[in-house]
Amino acid sequence: MTVHFIGAGPGAPDLITVRGLAIIRRCPVVLYAGSLVPAEVVAEAPEGARVVDTAPLHLDEIIAEMRAAHEAGLDVARVHSGDPSLYGAIAEQMRRLEALGIPYDVTPGVPAFAAAAAALGTELTLPGVSQTVILTRTAVRASAMPEGEDLATLGRSGATLAIHLSVNNLARVVRELTPSYGADCPVVVAYRVSWPDQCFVRGTLADIRGKVKAAGFTRTALILIGRALAEADFAESRLYAAEHHHVLRPAKGKG
């Protein structure tokens, strides 16, 4: 018996990995975060499976479901949205399972920032513009941010920022990042990426608050900030340059 933590991806049912879907299809117990995991994914569970939406459950109740499955010798598909390594709250579940001697493994999923970049048709790292992506969030009702991880500090890097769980804190995001990025820095707020009602609001740090307020986004939105989001005049990567040689593309001899 094993508890399988599975990243279901950002929303579209066909963005789950082949491995993740195969596990769901064979597990007699499926626990899923119903607020963000589409019903179509867990509908792939085998006939007669115990399928439980964990959105209304607290940690002890979720672990109780896993423990009952373990005692019955039944594999569990524990389905989270996006990739479970990012704000997935799986660490405390795994710690509880270890204490109980219940085996587990993890199957990664497509993270929301990657799905948003794909839908926008943009690259988050451009030569000479940004070669770093920082995944972060702000503190609202969730856990406090550790010292040194405030937006003002992270913003001094000039990296492309993917800010999760913070659309209701947009005023603070704008206030803390404008000194480093400038009021004209491009911003994209991605709402429910890959779902049928996905929507993108483009703007700058100067005007994004008004645009997002008009759109009515209050949750399930990702904030992307950085010059790479709108830069067209960038140097081409050396990776495919004709004069760039490496072991798989050696220099051609003169004929």
Side-chain angles (χ1 to χ4, degrees):
M1 178 274 173
T2 302
V3 174
H4 304 281
F5 291 96
I6 301 168
D14 60 351
L15 282 181
I16 191 171
T17 64
V18 173
R19 180 187 298 179
L21 187 57
I23 295 173
I24 292 171
R25 285 173 170 168
R26 63 176 171 79
C27 278
V29 178
V30 177
L31 310 177
Y32 73 105
S35 58
L36 294 172
V37 174
E40 292 89 341
V41 170
V42 295
E44 295 287 337
E47 185 176 354
R50 176 170 174 75
V51 180
V52 179
D53 179 0
T54 61
L57 304 183
H58 57 65
L59 179 59
D60 288 340
E61 292 170 325
I62 294 169
I63 297 301
E65 288 282 349
M66 297 176 179
R67 185 171 188 172
H70 175 67
E71 291 172 351
L74 302 176
D75 281 355
V76 176
R78 175 61 172 128
V79 188
H80 285 262
S81 63
D83 180 86
S85 69
L86 298 174
Y87 311 114
I90 66 170
E92 56 262 44
Q93 295 176 65
M94 293 188 293
R95 182 167 58 189
R96 298 285 186 96
L97 294 178
E98 289 173 359
L100 293 170
I102 299 175
Y104 63 85
D105 58 28
V106 182
T107 296
V110 177
F113 79 91
L120 292 166
T122 191
E123 189 172 346
L124 301 180
T125 54
L126 294 177
V129 180
S130 174
Q131 292 290 283
T132 302
V133 178
I134 296 177
L135 313 177
T136 189
R137 66 170 180 84
T138 60
V140 185
R141 295 181 60 192
S143 306
M145 295 297 289
E147 184 177 353
E149 292 189 19
D150 57 282
L151 287 180
T153 298
L154 298 178
R156 286 197 285 272
S157 68
T160 303
L161 298 179
I163 307 175
H164 299 71
L165 308 170
S166 300
V167 70
N168 288 325
N169 216 7
L170 191 53
R172 179 180 170 187
V173 170
V174 169
R175 182 174 63 252
E176 294 194 14
L177 291 179
T178 298
S180 297
Y181 286 79
D184 64 338
C185 183
V187 181
V188 177
V189 176
Y191 173 75
R192 284 171 62 87
V193 178
S194 85
W195 289 76
D197 58 346
Q198 80 169 6
C199 183
F200 297 94
V201 172
R202 289 180 176 270
T204 64
L205 284 172
D207 63 16
I208 195 64
R209 284 184 61 201
K211 291 182 176 182
V212 168
K213 184 176 181 180
F217 300 162
T218 59
R219 61 189 299 271
T220 58
L222 173 71
I223 305 167
L224 297 173
I225 299 175
R227 298 288 171 181
L229 295 172
E231 184 60 63
D233 185 19
F234 58 89
E236 292 186 347
S237 170
R238 295 288 300 161
L239 180 61
Y240 298 116
E243 67 276 13
H244 179 62
H245 310 300
H246 51 71
V247 65
L248 296 179
R249 193 172 68 231
K252 296 180 179 179
K254 295 182 179 180

